[in-house]
Amino acid sequence: MSLELLKKEGIEKIHTDFQELVTLFKEMLISIGEEDLAESLPFGKSKTINQEYRSEEKFIQAIGICFELLNLVEENAAAQYRRRAETQLGIESTRGSWGEAISEWKEKGLNPETIAQTLQNMSVMPVLTAHPTEAKRLTVLNIHREFYLLLVKGENPNWSYAEQESLKQEIISLMERWWRTGEIYLEKPRLQDERNNLMHYFVNVFPDAVALADNRLKEAWRSFGFPKELLEWPEHFPLVHFGSWVGGDRDGHPFVTPEFTKSTLELHRKAALDMIRNQLIELTVKLSFSSYRVPFPEEVLKNIEDLGNFFGAQGQKALDRNPSEPLRQYVNLLLVKLDNTIEEKHDLGENGYFKSSNDLAKELKKLRHLLVELGAERIAKQTLFPVERLVRCFGFHLAKLDIRNNSTYHEKAITQILVTAGFEDSDYASWDEEKRLMFLNKELESSRPFLVSGTLCGTEADNVLGYLSAVKHYIDKYGIDGIGSIIVSMTRSLSDLLLVFVLLREVGLQDVRLPVVPLLETIEDLIAGPDILSDYLSHPVLQKQIKASSKFTQEIMLGYSDSNKDGGILTSRWNIYKAEENLTKVGDKFGVDLRFFHGRGGTTSRGGGKIHRFLDSMPAVAMSGKIKMTVQGETIANQFANRLTATYNLEMFTAGTAKQALIKSDGNQDAELYNIMDNMVALARKKYRTLIDHDNFIAFYSKVTPIDVLEQSKIGSRPARRTGQRSLDDLRSIPWVFSWSQSRFNLTGWFGMGEALETFRKQNPEDYNRLQTLAKDWPFFKYLLIQVETNLLNVDTEIMHVFSEMVEDENTKEELMQLVLNDFEKCLEIIQDIMGESSDTRRIAATENKKLRDSSLKALHKIQVDYIKKWRELRKAHSPEGERYLLQLLLLVNALSGGLKSTG
């Protein structure tokens, strides 16, 4: 069977499964007395909408649940499609998989030893954040997970009729529970809620996903006949760590206190140790080797006896639990030592507990060598490998907590510190770069802090010193493994980075060598990035770290969201692409590997999209094999809520990183190509700024999007604006993207490109013709066009016009709508011209997906606009009735997000 036929069957499966679920949903509604509502739903045979329910909360909720049912059906269908494709067409048929990667390497004749070395040197880290784009409550997310498992259960073709009926009743029952559960947050989620959500993934999802992704790599390696001894043990596999921002990200988030950081680090550690303890208990069950059947070396038996004696009564108990079973006795003793670690019992000295996860890893490796020596290599791989891998990936820290704050916040903190310390010239924010560097360089020569510990200085300084002290407390007790990076948002210059070292000195962390990381967010900062990095790497503080480390790696974070808001999607992507190349050259100059940390969001406007395509589109020279990537908001559940999907996405990340790391480039740039891109970017940015710099743009934006509703939503724990000012600069990029999506402009994903491409076609016809070749052969350009086209296909001009009717000034409305619509039409036409055929032919799945959702989305949008008008009037009049409309609007935001499969 061909791939195309399998895809067609996959689309048919989505239609069939969805209609079956809608039928069951209607059956559930009828059973609880909601016959009219069931009949009103625009799914199934009837596409008409019962007007009686056009403005009711129940209708909105019902449509929202149907959209989520469709999303779950699509997720399950995708997993089943991949299974069928691999069964019938081979493991290499899944795009972005290990099978595809290893197949390509074999075809190219790459040396297996080179590949194996690359895998061993790799380090990938998904970093989960609580960015406010997850519109659904955690309770509802758990229902979604239950529902997905029922869909997977239903794939078994061998169920009897009675079993099928039982499953059907389970589904209907769960639908009723879902129906009776509140869909949205009526209060903002607490930080603890967001942290608990992430803990679910760290503890319940990622350990299994790592194990399954490892199995996928092993199977692909075996299938293509690569030497098995190159990929046998945990140290041969790519290192997968996990990171978190919940409890560490303070950029505009006033609720992340030092106490919350401290409790988060402790919670991470406790969960990791508990997870490892459970794995060791399972290991004892499996290692039931009897000394009567297996000849253990006397030295091993003596070491176990000595270790038991060392632990006294606890040790004797561990030995007595499994007499004549030395392996179980040994693991029991490891559990005693781990329990001492958990309880922080240090009375036996350093040999009585594990100082770090590396100590446990060494003991497990000894156990592995013993099993191999006993001829039980298969059992070592089957039973011990997962425990070794777990310790290697999660350590005693579970996830690395990044600490992030804004450079402006640090400036306020140091000013308060200087004032308290008695400096006459203390207004740091007003100093120019030269004066700042002179001051910082002088201070960094000394280890003396400005203040006595505990001195109060002011809000910003007390917070900064508070959370850095919490970090120091953790490091002093447990080491550095649980701490990620100190990230400086809006890094504009060298002084923004050096200031962090002065703040670290203030709490006694100057010698710990924590990674201080620039976050380059605006277009100007991306362009200036290589100079900032060069100054940074050449500075004595960094030179000292580089010389002290045999494998020094400098991390650099790239911001997709703010650069898009600043310059539009084409300008953002191209400047990030060039920044990666130019920053890598600087790293090469200093002999330093770079770890790029990609600050991606969920939507394509903010760097989202398929992980393997994203990685394919990077510059060939810019992948060291070490990479971090944010997974934000609703994207966490989309990518990792269910085991098969989580495994797939983790595999895409690791395999895609390996593919990029093995690409060799001669370093030569195609000057003509770069000139083409620079010309188009200049045109696109000019057009984009024409819109957002328009005198009446803010007034237009505030009417044609529900931004005012989103600012009242309870989606995330942090505010929508960094400082509370009503300006475009202060508005976070997430509600910026979210608001344009809700009103179906999707402007952040395409605006400016239509004018750029049309002008370029007229002025440079020969170069324009080359774009057709680039769209096939250059992954960066191909991926960009696919993403832009996706945004264009999700635009609805009818709904745009409905929203635009809320703009009072006719001239502003007409001028700016014309500007937007002209660019939309040009962009859609020219991208199809470049790609060579219409999207209907190329993107059948996307077209079918849109058809399933379209009529229901239109119905909800019209209710939404009606409610927005009423709510804005009531708000203006300070009427308490406005709260009732706001609740309906928040329900609509949630339902539409499900239908559009997108927030911010």
Side-chain angles (χ1 to χ4, degrees), residues 11-59:
I11 292 169
E12 289 171 359
K13 177 178 172 57
I14 290 169
H15 280 261
T16 303
D17 289 0
F18 178 55
Q19 293 306 334
E20 286 178 2
L21 288 181
V22 168
T23 300
L24 293 181
F25 183 56
K26 288 181 176 181
E27 187 178 320
M28 183 279 294
L29 289 174
I30 291 168
S31 73
I32 59 172
E34 296 287 356
E35 295 90 347
D36 291 341
L37 175 58
E39 286 302 312
S40 76
L41 295 179
F43 299 105
K45 293 177 182 177
S46 171
K47 299 286 183 179
T48 59
I49 297 169
N50 186 330
Q51 294 294 320
E52 187 180 345
Y53 278 91
R54 283 291 300 277
S55 301
E56 288 199 8
E57 179 183 333
K58 289 180 181 179
F59 178 78

Side-chain angles (χ1 to χ4, degrees), residues 636-808:
I636 298 171
N638 292 346
Q639 291 188 1
F640 299 117
N642 304 303
R643 195 172 70 155
L644 287 178
T645 311
T647 303
Y648 169 72
N649 282 295
L650 194 59
E651 180 182 359
M652 297 304 106
F653 191 9
T654 49
T657 299
K659 278 180 69 176
Q660 285 298 105
L662 279 162
I663 293 174
K664 300 302 176 190
S665 170
D666 58 14
N668 294 326
Q669 287 185 350
D670 183 336
E672 184 184 320
L673 169 60
Y674 278 65
N675 187 50
I676 288 172
M677 291 302 299
D678 287 340
N679 285 342
M680 286 199 299
V681 164
L683 293 166
R685 190 178 189 191
K686 182 180 178 183
K687 184 69 173 181
Y688 179 83
R689 296 303 309 191
T690 299
L691 176 65
I692 67 170
D693 290 336
H694 190 283
D695 290 343
N696 296 324
F697 174 72
I698 295 294
F700 175 79
Y701 168 61
S702 65
K703 294 296 183 182
V704 299
T705 73
I707 182 60
D708 45 354
V709 174
L710 297 178
E711 289 181 323
Q712 300 296 316
S713 71
K714 316 297 180 185
I715 292 175
S717 64
R718 73 179 190 175
R721 295 180 184 270
R722 285 188 167 91
T723 67
Q725 298 173 15
R726 292 205 64 78
S727 68
L728 194 58
D729 287 341
D730 194 58
L731 179 69
R732 291 185 184 278
S733 51
I734 291 168
W736 166 251
V737 174
F738 197 173
S739 58
W740 287 115
S741 167
Q742 282 274 310
S743 57
R744 303 301 294 279
F745 281 71
N746 288 343
L747 184 141
T748 57
W750 55 268
F751 185 75
M753 277 194 68
E755 177 81 14
L757 290 168
E758 185 188 55
T759 304
F760 188 78
R761 178 167 62 178
K762 288 176 182 175
Q763 294 177 353
N764 309 278
E766 290 185 11
D767 287 339
Y768 174 80
N769 290 336
R770 190 182 175 191
L771 295 182
Q772 294 180 322
T773 305
L774 294 174
K776 293 184 179 71
D777 301 338
W778 187 24
F780 169 79
F781 194 60
K782 180 179 180 179
Y783 178 60
L784 175 70
L785 291 183
I786 289 171
Q787 286 203 319
V788 170
E789 186 178 55
T790 299
N791 282 298
L792 291 166
L793 294 176
N794 285 326
V795 168
D796 189 317
T797 54
E798 179 188 337
I799 301 303
M800 287 166 64
H801 280 296
V802 172
F803 270 92
S804 74
E805 291 304 314
M806 289 188 281
V807 179
E808 289 101 347

Side-chain angles (χ1 to χ4, degrees), residues 141-376:
L141 289 173
N142 287 330
I143 290 173
H144 289 186
R145 291 175 190 131
E146 284 186 63
F147 207 97
Y148 181 83
L149 291 175
L150 291 178
L151 292 181
V152 174
K153 194 175 176 182
E155 294 298 329
N156 187 337
N158 299 317
W159 293 127
S160 67
Y161 176 77
E163 287 169 326
Q164 289 175 25
E165 281 301 302
S166 175
L167 179 59
K168 175 182 165 184
Q169 292 308 313
E170 273 190 83
I171 289 172
I172 291 174
S173 176
L174 185 56
M175 283 176 169
E176 182 177 350
R177 182 148 57 91
W178 188 350
W179 174 253
R180 296 183 186 278
T181 301
E183 283 280 318
I184 62 169
Y185 288 109
L186 298 179
E187 300 293 336
K188 272 190 174 289
R190 301 172 305 154
L191 274 165
Q192 288 87 343
D193 298 326
E194 293 175 335
R195 183 172 67 188
N196 290 343
N197 184 38
L198 264 58
M199 291 298 290
H200 164 78
Y201 293 97
F202 292 138
V203 174
N204 300 319
V205 176
F206 290 140
D208 285 347
V210 169
L212 290 169
D214 285 349
N215 288 338
R216 302 262 308 159
L217 170 54
K218 278 190 280 191
E219 177 56 26
W221 192 267
R222 184 200 64 76
S223 294
F224 288 97
F226 281 20
K228 69 172 187 176
E229 66 274 10
L230 296 177
L231 193 76
E232 283 190 295
W233 304 111
E235 58 269 25
H236 296 156
F237 284 70
L239 191 57
V240 181
H241 284 315
F242 297 90
S244 174
W245 275 14
V246 177
D249 180 15
R250 291 174 162 73
D251 185 6
H253 200 323
F255 310 121
V256 183
T257 63
E259 293 74 24
F260 191 76
T261 298
K262 181 174 181 291
S263 68
T264 299
L265 289 166
E266 290 169 351
L267 183 67
H268 284 180
R269 179 175 171 85
K270 182 181 184 305
L273 288 166
D274 287 347
M275 199 162 68
I276 290 168
R277 189 177 192 280
N278 291 335
Q279 287 287 310
L280 287 177
I281 290 171
E282 282 189 35
L283 188 62
T284 59
V285 174
K286 294 171 182 174
L287 294 181
S288 52
F289 288 32
S290 169
S291 57
Y292 296 114
R293 301 294 303 272
V294 179
F296 284 91
E298 284 299 321
E299 183 185 355
V300 169
L301 298 175
K302 179 70 168 57
N303 287 342
I304 291 172
E305 184 182 353
D306 290 347
L307 192 57
N309 292 334
F310 174 77
F311 283 116
Q314 280 183 305
Q316 193 58 49
K317 188 177 178 182
L319 296 177
D320 292 346
R321 192 178 300 125
N322 300 102
S324 306
E325 293 178 330
L327 295 183
R328 281 180 164 175
Q329 290 179 324
Y330 181 66
V331 179
N332 286 340
L333 291 167
L334 292 184
L335 277 163
V336 170
K337 196 169 181 178
L338 187 68
D339 285 342
N340 289 345
T341 307
I342 292 170
E343 295 163 19
E344 300 191 3
K345 289 173 62 176
H346 300 163
D347 50 308
L348 292 175
E350 290 193 359
N351 290 330
Y353 69 99
F354 294 113
K355 196 170 183 182
S356 75
S357 61
N358 289 334
D359 295 338
L360 174 57
K362 288 174 186 174
E363 295 297 330
L364 294 173
K365 197 167 186 179
K366 284 182 193 174
L367 180 57
R368 183 213 301 174
H369 290 156
L370 174 59
L371 285 167
V372 172
E373 185 182 339
L374 294 172

